[in-house]
Amino acid sequence: MKSQAQVVVIGGGVVGASVLYHLTKAGWRDVMLLERAELTAGSTWHAAGGMHTINGDPTIAKLQQYTIELYKEIEAISGQSCGVHLTGGLMLAGTRERMDWLKMVKARGRYLGMDLDLLSADEAERLFPLMDKSHFVGGLYDPIEGHVDPYGVTHAYARAAQIGGATIERQCRVTGLEQYPDGSWLVRTEKGDIQAEHVVNCGGLWAREVGRMVGIELPVLAMEHHYIITEDIPALAGQPEQLHCVDFEGEIYTRQERGGMLLGTYEKNCVPWSERETPWDFGQNLLPDDLERIAPELEVGFAHFPVFNTVGIKKVVNGPFTFAPDGNPLLGPVRGLKNFWVACGVMAGFSQGGGVGLALANWITRGDPGFDIWGMDVARYGDWTTLAYTQVKVRENYSRRFRIRYPNEELPAGRPYRTSPIYDRLAANHAVWGEYCGLEHALWFAPSAALAREDFTFKRPDTHDIVAAEVKAVREGVGLIETTNYGKFEVTGPNAEAFLNRVMANRMPPIGRMVLTPMLNEAGKLIGDFTVGRWAADKFLVVGTYAAETYYERWFDRFLPETGCTVRACAMEYAGLALAGPKSRALLQTLVHQDLSTAAFPFMSFARMDVGTVPALVGRVSFTGELGYEVWVKADFQRTLYDMLVVAGEPHGLKLFGGRALHTMRVEKGFGTWAREFRPSYGPDEAGLGRFVALNKGDFIGRDAVASARADGGGPMRLVTLAVEATDADALGDEPIWHDGAVVGWVTSGGYGHAVGRSLALGYVPKALATRDDGFAVEIDGALRPATRIEGAPYDAAGQRMRG
């Protein structure tokens, strides 16, 4: 066995084999894979092997398309059949609400180039005669769907990698990992030690155990998963192979397996497996059958597909496979561990394995995945994701895999989990809560406890008027919102300014001021969007998106100087409250001694001051587009601050408002936000942030790429604001934008603008169309809604209200 390698991949399932192949495809030859038993001997070997292109995240959907197209390539290189059965697929809707969801799926598929067809129940039955159409109202047909042979796919990846120069060691369990001072790794195995520059954890069922070897707890959990295979069905003999079919109401999927049918379920009464530790001696084993537990789903399946009642069950498969809390893979470098990578939690390995391998190989060999993989990045989870929290959320995700997630629906498992100091104060005012990184935040405030609920819908929610009243209170008077759920970093030291000027695209502010700034990668693409406030020569508060805190820390670590600068994440140490509205200055002035007039404390000012008795950092800025102030205090002062603001606000008609109203107001202002408008897919000129990039300040990360792109026109797309002729449903995000009968772009955010009285959408269109005013439409609820481009912001385009 080799004693050295540039990369060691741990785990010989479909994901590890894909990573290995893509490393060789990128030109790296000194790579090896270590498998404790035989290839596929974890979750891969007993997988049903389904593959599909549809996913709620468009980027992941593109990677799934790539994975399916890749099978021809690895078959040709390896000579190993992948057993591809491209049967096409059918998603069946048993309710009108599910049919509305399928309309949304079809619309989102348009700008991804998917050829999806909505069908009536009669049309669906003609394609899939095994169904009883009386249980369904329609369906969605996808021609690029089917199943593969798990053994064949994994061995095709592995053989293609070996042809490319890779080494594979079977029966070689990794027993320990140690990092040298230079960042390289000592990989201890049952066959001897290996020194490696990079280590990739593709451990699958054992990903947690491999992670623990380096002191991390990955948020993954294995769940038991059943499917059955029937005896041969005479009616299938001599017929074309049946479609892959998903029955959402039954929470089951089915496909043909030789002469019979396979039926699997994601049951409500789900059971985790090996909750704390996966035994190393678990091999190509199955778990005991538990048909009684999945009997409710089987009963529905047998009713919806009567042919299952005519034959016996030939085989029952119950095997474990892993999930992350949100069901997406965990991919990328682990913060604080140089050259340690993960690719695990890939529960849809035969749809996503190729794309995961491509992204990670790009990242290792080139320093960047090459495209936007935020939805899969391991950095989306932080220290708050404990083992127990993971178990609660994975079980919820598994049991809901085939259920509708409405845009206004909040999932309840494990909540409340994290709360701010004023949680009880807001709850007493009938806050209706959302969850963000496990943290409770107020979405809206009900008139009474009895009305603190809403119906889930794809239409405008029944809170429409309540949110409108909150918006009106802010636009005409003064509102108060908690902002604890923002990410925050203290950046301090004599080299703090130089560091921030290196990693941020804008020039850092003088003392007493703040700036808005993008953060870019080397390719000049957006990887962050921040406000930076400076209250002393060597003290900065950097505020951004909380969900990306670890993602940002990982980036900061790459460029932090050895001395003279400290970056400290402090999201939960600094609790936040924000005042917004034309009366906000008058209210706050009653609690501070500093002059808050525009002359003395203009827009984008930032200072340390006492608010009442509480020491605070105050910035004159507002995401609502109104005159406003963000007030940051240490968490132990937040209750006192809140109480003082409420009392001081009574004469000014202060009203609490929540995240729904804030969303409406930021869309009315055309303000983008991270993970919607601002993602690594776009450059700053495309996203409308070009004015915040200071090309003349000296060198910074992404400068040359932005300058080059700007010389060539600034990128192909532009973010625009559209007024949409919608009546009872608004754009949410990911809807296609049409122009003159063709799909030209996509919506990133949308909603009803209560202050302007119009349905609005933010989205990207080609640069050539970004100055056109008419001819646009947005596809909502299966219908094209005419739309008009708005030049500037729909509300207060000149920005006088927040600057005055």
Side-chain angles (χ1 to χ4, degrees), residues 642-677:
Y642 173 84
D643 291 344
M644 288 191 301
L645 289 172
V646 168
V647 171
E650 287 181 7
H652 303 278
L654 178 70
K655 184 176 178 66
L656 298 175
F657 71 102
R660 295 267 180 87
L662 181 64
H663 172 80
T664 287
M665 289 185 278
R666 71 101 175 165
V667 171
E668 287 182 323
K669 285 295 297 177
F671 290 161
T673 189
W674 171 250
R676 298 306 310 176
E677 288 70 39

mmCIF file of all heavy atoms in Angstrom, residues 642-677:
data_model
loop_
_atom_site.group_PDB
_atom_site.id
_atom_site.type_symbol
_atom_site.label_atom_id
_atom_site.label_comp_id
_atom_site.label_asym_id
_atom_site.label_seq_id
_atom_site.Cartn_x
_atom_site.Cartn_y
_atom_site.Cartn_z
ATOM 1 N N TYR A 642 -35.201 47.253 25.537
ATOM 2 C CA TYR A 642 -36.547 47.078 24.978
ATOM 3 C C TYR A 642 -37.585 47.805 25.821
ATOM 4 O O TYR A 642 -38.438 48.542 25.288
ATOM 5 C CB TYR A 642 -36.873 45.586 24.894
ATOM 6 C CG TYR A 642 -38.297 45.290 24.491
ATOM 7 C CD1 TYR A 642 -38.671 45.262 23.153
ATOM 8 C CD2 TYR A 642 -39.272 45.048 25.462
ATOM 9 C CE1 TYR A 642 -39.984 44.985 22.785
ATOM 10 C CE2 TYR A 642 -40.583 44.772 25.109
ATOM 11 C CZ TYR A 642 -40.939 44.753 23.770
ATOM 12 O OH TYR A 642 -42.239 44.490 23.410
ATOM 13 N N ASP A 643 -37.538 47.605 27.124
ATOM 14 C CA ASP A 643 -38.533 48.235 27.999
ATOM 15 C C ASP A 643 -38.459 49.761 27.902
ATOM 16 O O ASP A 643 -39.503 50.447 27.872
ATOM 17 C CB ASP A 643 -38.318 47.796 29.449
ATOM 18 C CG ASP A 643 -38.666 46.322 29.669
ATOM 19 O OD1 ASP A 643 -39.350 45.731 28.805
ATOM 20 O OD2 ASP A 643 -38.223 45.759 30.693
ATOM 21 N N MET A 644 -37.254 50.302 27.856
ATOM 22 C CA MET A 644 -37.120 51.755 27.751
ATOM 23 C C MET A 644 -37.675 52.269 26.423
ATOM 24 O O MET A 644 -38.354 53.302 26.378
ATOM 25 C CB MET A 644 -35.649 52.150 27.902
ATOM 26 C CG MET A 644 -35.098 52.009 29.305
ATOM 27 S SD MET A 644 -33.452 52.776 29.493
ATOM 28 C CE MET A 644 -32.519 51.878 28.273
ATOM 29 N N LEU A 645 -37.400 51.573 25.337
ATOM 30 C CA LEU A 645 -37.891 52.012 24.027
ATOM 31 C C LEU A 645 -39.416 51.948 23.959
ATOM 32 O O LEU A 645 -40.060 52.830 23.375
ATOM 33 C CB LEU A 645 -37.277 51.154 22.922
ATOM 34 C CG LEU A 645 -35.782 51.375 22.647
ATOM 35 C CD1 LEU A 645 -35.266 50.328 21.659
ATOM 36 C CD2 LEU A 645 -35.522 52.771 22.099
ATOM 37 N N VAL A 646 -39.991 50.911 24.550
ATOM 38 C CA VAL A 646 -41.451 50.790 24.535
ATOM 39 C C VAL A 646 -42.093 51.939 25.310
ATOM 40 O O VAL A 646 -43.067 52.557 24.854
ATOM 41 C CB VAL A 646 -41.878 49.422 25.106
ATOM 42 C CG1 VAL A 646 -43.391 49.396 25.371
ATOM 43 C CG2 VAL A 646 -41.494 48.305 24.138
ATOM 44 N N VAL A 647 -41.557 52.228 26.486
ATOM 45 C CA VAL A 647 -42.119 53.335 27.288
ATOM 46 C C VAL A 647 -41.930 54.663 26.560
ATOM 47 O O VAL A 647 -42.858 55.470 26.439
ATOM 48 C CB VAL A 647 -41.460 53.373 28.682
ATOM 49 C CG1 VAL A 647 -41.875 54.643 29.428
ATOM 50 C CG2 VAL A 647 -41.843 52.138 29.489
ATOM 51 N N ALA A 648 -40.720 54.885 26.043
ATOM 52 C CA ALA A 648 -40.461 56.141 25.328
ATOM 53 C C ALA A 648 -41.264 56.241 24.049
ATOM 54 O O ALA A 648 -41.544 57.342 23.556
ATOM 55 C CB ALA A 648 -38.965 56.259 25.026
ATOM 56 N N GLY A 649 -41.640 55.091 23.504
ATOM 57 C CA GLY A 649 -42.365 55.093 22.242
ATOM 58 C C GLY A 649 -43.856 55.328 22.349
ATOM 59 O O GLY A 649 -44.511 55.617 21.344
ATOM 60 N N GLU A 650 -44.400 55.232 23.551
ATOM 61 C CA GLU A 650 -45.857 55.379 23.703
ATOM 62 C C GLU A 650 -46.371 56.708 23.162
ATOM 63 O O GLU A 650 -47.360 56.739 22.407
ATOM 64 C CB GLU A 650 -46.246 55.195 25.174
ATOM 65 C CG GLU A 650 -46.171 53.758 25.649
ATOM 66 C CD GLU A 650 -46.597 53.612 27.104
ATOM 67 O OE1 GLU A 650 -47.077 54.622 27.681
ATOM 68 O OE2 GLU A 650 -46.449 52.510 27.662
ATOM 69 N N PRO A 651 -45.749 57.840 23.469
ATOM 70 C CA PRO A 651 -46.263 59.114 22.932
ATOM 71 C C PRO A 651 -46.148 59.217 21.407
ATOM 72 O O PRO A 651 -46.827 60.041 20.796
ATOM 73 C CB PRO A 651 -45.374 60.168 23.617
ATOM 74 C CG PRO A 651 -44.759 59.494 24.793
ATOM 75 C CD PRO A 651 -44.611 58.059 24.404
ATOM 76 N N HIS A 652 -45.295 58.375 20.808
ATOM 77 C CA HIS A 652 -45.070 58.436 19.364
ATOM 78 C C HIS A 652 -45.835 57.356 18.599
ATOM 79 O O HIS A 652 -45.704 57.246 17.386
ATOM 80 C CB HIS A 652 -43.572 58.298 19.075
ATOM 81 C CG HIS A 652 -42.730 59.324 19.767
ATOM 82 N ND1 HIS A 652 -42.556 60.603 19.276
ATOM 83 C CD2 HIS A 652 -42.025 59.269 20.932
ATOM 84 C CE1 HIS A 652 -41.774 61.285 20.095
ATOM 85 N NE2 HIS A 652 -41.445 60.505 21.115
ATOM 86 N N GLY A 653 -46.651 56.587 19.336
ATOM 87 C CA GLY A 653 -47.435 55.540 18.679
ATOM 88 C C GLY A 653 -46.594 54.361 18.217
ATOM 89 O O GLY A 653 -46.905 53.735 17.192
ATOM 90 N N LEU A 654 -45.540 54.023 18.953
ATOM 91 C CA LEU A 654 -44.647 52.933 18.562
ATOM 92 C C LEU A 654 -45.418 51.630 18.364
ATOM 93 O O LEU A 654 -46.248 51.262 19.183
ATOM 94 C CB LEU A 654 -43.578 52.735 19.648
ATOM 95 C CG LEU A 654 -42.587 51.589 19.420
ATOM 96 C CD1 LEU A 654 -41.644 51.922 18.269
ATOM 97 C CD2 LEU A 654 -41.797 51.301 20.693
ATOM 98 N N LYS A 655 -45.100 50.934 17.267
ATOM 99 C CA LYS A 655 -45.729 49.647 16.982
ATOM 100 C C LYS A 655 -44.643 48.616 16.682
ATOM 101 O O LYS A 655 -43.664 48.906 16.001
ATOM 102 C CB LYS A 655 -46.673 49.755 15.788
ATOM 103 C CG LYS A 655 -47.460 48.484 15.478
ATOM 104 C CD LYS A 655 -48.444 48.692 14.338
ATOM 105 C CE LYS A 655 -49.195 47.415 13.983
ATOM 106 N NZ LYS A 655 -50.085 46.969 15.066
ATOM 107 N N LEU A 656 -44.831 47.418 17.223
ATOM 108 C CA LEU A 656 -43.922 46.323 16.899
ATOM 109 C C LEU A 656 -44.190 45.830 15.484
ATOM 110 O O LEU A 656 -45.340 45.770 15.041
ATOM 111 C CB LEU A 656 -44.100 45.171 17.881
ATOM 112 C CG LEU A 656 -43.806 45.465 19.357
ATOM 113 C CD1 LEU A 656 -44.159 44.257 20.213
ATOM 114 C CD2 LEU A 656 -42.344 45.840 19.554
ATOM 115 N N PHE A 657 -43.129 45.478 14.779
ATOM 116 C CA PHE A 657 -43.310 44.838 13.475
ATOM 117 C C PHE A 657 -42.319 43.695 13.336
ATOM 118 O O PHE A 657 -41.308 43.624 14.053
ATOM 119 C CB PHE A 657 -43.197 45.841 12.328
ATOM 120 C CG PHE A 657 -41.823 46.394 12.053
ATOM 121 C CD1 PHE A 657 -41.057 45.929 10.985
ATOM 122 C CD2 PHE A 657 -41.296 47.425 12.830
ATOM 123 C CE1 PHE A 657 -39.809 46.464 10.716
ATOM 124 C CE2 PHE A 657 -40.041 47.974 12.565
ATOM 125 C CZ PHE A 657 -39.292 47.487 11.501
ATOM 126 N N GLY A 658 -42.616 42.776 12.420
ATOM 127 C CA GLY A 658 -41.827 41.561 12.303
ATOM 128 C C GLY A 658 -41.182 41.382 10.948
ATOM 129 O O GLY A 658 -41.172 42.280 10.097
ATOM 130 N N GLY A 659 -40.665 40.191 10.739
ATOM 131 C CA GLY A 659 -39.907 39.896 9.538
ATOM 132 C C GLY A 659 -40.701 39.966 8.256
ATOM 133 O O GLY A 659 -40.157 40.299 7.194
ATOM 134 N N ARG A 660 -42.007 39.665 8.305
ATOM 135 C CA ARG A 660 -42.818 39.737 7.086
ATOM 136 C C ARG A 660 -42.926 41.184 6.594
ATOM 137 O O ARG A 660 -42.794 41.453 5.408
ATOM 138 C CB ARG A 660 -44.214 39.182 7.364
ATOM 139 C CG ARG A 660 -44.236 37.695 7.711
ATOM 140 C CD ARG A 660 -44.470 36.829 6.497
ATOM 141 N NE ARG A 660 -44.492 35.426 6.873
ATOM 142 C CZ ARG A 660 -45.582 34.779 7.293
ATOM 143 N NH1 ARG A 660 -46.740 35.415 7.398
ATOM 144 N NH2 ARG A 660 -45.521 33.499 7.605
ATOM 145 N N ALA A 661 -43.168 42.100 7.509
ATOM 146 C CA ALA A 661 -43.258 43.513 7.122
ATOM 147 C C ALA A 661 -41.900 44.013 6.639
ATOM 148 O O ALA A 661 -41.819 44.779 5.664
ATOM 149 C CB ALA A 661 -43.756 44.354 8.295
ATOM 150 N N LEU A 662 -40.828 43.596 7.296
ATOM 151 C CA LEU A 662 -39.498 44.007 6.863
ATOM 152 C C LEU A 662 -39.218 43.522 5.450
ATOM 153 O O LEU A 662 -38.659 44.260 4.624
ATOM 154 C CB LEU A 662 -38.441 43.467 7.828
ATOM 155 C CG LEU A 662 -36.996 43.845 7.516
ATOM 156 C CD1 LEU A 662 -36.796 45.356 7.621
ATOM 157 C CD2 LEU A 662 -36.032 43.108 8.443
ATOM 158 N N HIS A 663 -39.610 42.285 5.151
ATOM 159 C CA HIS A 663 -39.424 41.756 3.802
ATOM 160 C C HIS A 663 -40.168 42.610 2.782
ATOM 161 O O HIS A 663 -39.619 42.964 1.732
ATOM 162 C CB HIS A 663 -39.917 40.312 3.744
ATOM 163 C CG HIS A 663 -39.946 39.747 2.363
ATOM 164 N ND1 HIS A 663 -38.827 39.262 1.726
ATOM 165 C CD2 HIS A 663 -40.969 39.603 1.474
ATOM 166 C CE1 HIS A 663 -39.145 38.847 0.511
ATOM 167 N NE2 HIS A 663 -40.442 39.037 0.338
ATOM 168 N N THR A 664 -41.405 42.940 3.075
ATOM 169 C CA THR A 664 -42.190 43.783 2.167
ATOM 170 C C THR A 664 -41.485 45.109 1.911
ATOM 171 O O THR A 664 -41.358 45.557 0.766
ATOM 172 C CB THR A 664 -43.581 44.047 2.775
ATOM 173 O OG1 THR A 664 -44.351 42.858 2.696
ATOM 174 C CG2 THR A 664 -44.309 45.148 2.021
ATOM 175 N N MET A 665 -41.006 45.727 2.970
ATOM 176 C CA MET A 665 -40.401 47.052 2.825
ATOM 177 C C MET A 665 -39.060 47.001 2.097
ATOM 178 O O MET A 665 -38.741 47.905 1.332
ATOM 179 C CB MET A 665 -40.276 47.713 4.204
ATOM 180 C CG MET A 665 -41.637 48.130 4.777
ATOM 181 S SD MET A 665 -41.553 49.048 6.336
ATOM 182 C CE MET A 665 -41.373 47.702 7.508
ATOM 183 N N ARG A 666 -38.296 45.951 2.298
ATOM 184 C CA ARG A 666 -37.013 45.897 1.587
ATOM 185 C C ARG A 666 -37.245 45.608 0.105
ATOM 186 O O ARG A 666 -36.498 46.093 -0.747
ATOM 187 C CB ARG A 666 -36.074 44.905 2.254
ATOM 188 C CG ARG A 666 -36.374 43.419 2.133
ATOM 189 C CD ARG A 666 -35.500 42.768 1.077
ATOM 190 N NE ARG A 666 -35.705 41.318 1.028
ATOM 191 C CZ ARG A 666 -35.302 40.572 0.033
ATOM 192 N NH1 ARG A 666 -34.686 41.085 -1.009
ATOM 193 N NH2 ARG A 666 -35.525 39.268 0.058
ATOM 194 N N VAL A 667 -38.280 44.835 -0.243
ATOM 195 C CA VAL A 667 -38.601 44.624 -1.657
ATOM 196 C C VAL A 667 -39.102 45.924 -2.283
ATOM 197 O O VAL A 667 -38.767 46.251 -3.430
ATOM 198 C CB VAL A 667 -39.622 43.482 -1.820
ATOM 199 C CG1 VAL A 667 -40.130 43.404 -3.257
ATOM 200 C CG2 VAL A 667 -38.996 42.146 -1.423
ATOM 201 N N GLU A 668 -39.895 46.693 -1.535
ATOM 202 C CA GLU A 668 -40.342 47.995 -2.048
ATOM 203 C C GLU A 668 -39.170 48.928 -2.328
ATOM 204 O O GLU A 668 -39.263 49.812 -3.189
ATOM 205 C CB GLU A 668 -41.281 48.665 -1.031
ATOM 206 C CG GLU A 668 -42.656 48.023 -0.956
ATOM 207 C CD GLU A 668 -43.567 48.741 0.021
ATOM 208 O OE1 GLU A 668 -43.075 49.203 1.075
ATOM 209 O OE2 GLU A 668 -44.772 48.831 -0.270
ATOM 210 N N LYS A 669 -38.092 48.738 -1.606
ATOM 211 C CA LYS A 669 -36.900 49.565 -1.823
ATOM 212 C C LYS A 669 -35.915 48.928 -2.808
ATOM 213 O O LYS A 669 -34.878 49.520 -3.119
ATOM 214 C CB LYS A 669 -36.190 49.817 -0.496
ATOM 215 C CG LYS A 669 -36.891 50.832 0.396
ATOM 216 C CD LYS A 669 -36.884 52.222 -0.242
ATOM 217 C CE LYS A 669 -35.484 52.754 -0.408
ATOM 218 N NZ LYS A 669 -35.464 54.083 -1.096
ATOM 219 N N GLY A 670 -36.211 47.735 -3.266
ATOM 220 C CA GLY A 670 -35.291 47.057 -4.167
ATOM 221 C C GLY A 670 -34.016 46.612 -3.489
ATOM 222 O O GLY A 670 -32.980 46.417 -4.141
ATOM 223 N N PHE A 671 -34.064 46.429 -2.159
ATOM 224 C CA PHE A 671 -32.885 46.004 -1.405
ATOM 225 C C PHE A 671 -32.726 44.488 -1.516
ATOM 226 O O PHE A 671 -33.646 43.729 -1.189
ATOM 227 C CB PHE A 671 -33.007 46.376 0.074
ATOM 228 C CG PHE A 671 -32.924 47.849 0.374
ATOM 229 C CD1 PHE A 671 -33.398 48.354 1.574
ATOM 230 C CD2 PHE A 671 -32.357 48.734 -0.537
ATOM 231 C CE1 PHE A 671 -33.321 49.712 1.869
ATOM 232 C CE2 PHE A 671 -32.266 50.087 -0.253
ATOM 233 C CZ PHE A 671 -32.757 50.586 0.943
ATOM 234 N N GLY A 672 -31.559 44.043 -1.940
ATOM 235 C CA GLY A 672 -31.285 42.620 -2.011
ATOM 236 C C GLY A 672 -30.801 42.078 -0.681
ATOM 237 O O GLY A 672 -30.496 42.817 0.261
ATOM 238 N N THR A 673 -30.720 40.756 -0.622
ATOM 239 C CA THR A 673 -30.257 40.105 0.594
ATOM 240 C C THR A 673 -29.483 38.859 0.227
ATOM 241 O O THR A 673 -29.673 38.280 -0.850
ATOM 242 C CB THR A 673 -31.445 39.768 1.527
ATOM 243 O OG1 THR A 673 -30.963 39.318 2.787
ATOM 244 C CG2 THR A 673 -32.327 38.692 0.936
ATOM 245 N N TRP A 674 -28.591 38.450 1.142
ATOM 246 C CA TRP A 674 -27.755 37.290 0.892
ATOM 247 C C TRP A 674 -28.606 36.019 0.738
ATOM 248 O O TRP A 674 -29.614 35.845 1.408
ATOM 249 C CB TRP A 674 -26.762 37.098 2.049
ATOM 250 C CG TRP A 674 -26.010 35.795 1.955
ATOM 251 C CD1 TRP A 674 -26.147 34.707 2.761
ATOM 252 C CD2 TRP A 674 -25.033 35.449 0.969
ATOM 253 N NE1 TRP A 674 -25.302 33.705 2.344
ATOM 254 C CE2 TRP A 674 -24.607 34.131 1.243
ATOM 255 C CE3 TRP A 674 -24.476 36.118 -0.122
ATOM 256 C CZ2 TRP A 674 -23.651 33.470 0.472
ATOM 257 C CZ3 TRP A 674 -23.521 35.468 -0.893
ATOM 258 C CH2 TRP A 674 -23.118 34.159 -0.590
ATOM 259 N N ALA A 675 -28.157 35.164 -0.172
ATOM 260 C CA ALA A 675 -28.766 33.875 -0.512
ATOM 261 C C ALA A 675 -29.997 34.025 -1.385
ATOM 262 O O ALA A 675 -30.531 33.027 -1.852
ATOM 263 C CB ALA A 675 -29.085 33.030 0.719
ATOM 264 N N ARG A 676 -30.454 35.231 -1.622
ATOM 265 C CA ARG A 676 -31.516 35.453 -2.608
ATOM 266 C C ARG A 676 -30.936 36.263 -3.773
ATOM 267 O O ARG A 676 -30.582 35.714 -4.801
ATOM 268 C CB ARG A 676 -32.705 36.185 -1.976
ATOM 269 C CG ARG A 676 -33.388 35.443 -0.856
ATOM 270 C CD ARG A 676 -33.837 34.033 -1.223
ATOM 271 N NE ARG A 676 -34.602 33.967 -2.468
ATOM 272 C CZ ARG A 676 -35.033 32.826 -3.031
ATOM 273 N NH1 ARG A 676 -34.755 31.669 -2.459
ATOM 274 N NH2 ARG A 676 -35.711 32.840 -4.146
ATOM 275 N N GLU A 677 -30.824 37.567 -3.617
ATOM 276 C CA GLU A 677 -30.253 38.396 -4.689
ATOM 277 C C GLU A 677 -28.733 38.276 -4.774
ATOM 278 O O GLU A 677 -28.155 38.394 -5.854
ATOM 279 C CB GLU A 677 -30.634 39.866 -4.496
ATOM 280 C CG GLU A 677 -32.081 40.183 -4.781
ATOM 281 C CD GLU A 677 -33.040 39.608 -3.767
ATOM 282 O OE1 GLU A 677 -32.715 39.615 -2.551
ATOM 283 O OE2 GLU A 677 -34.118 39.115 -4.179
#
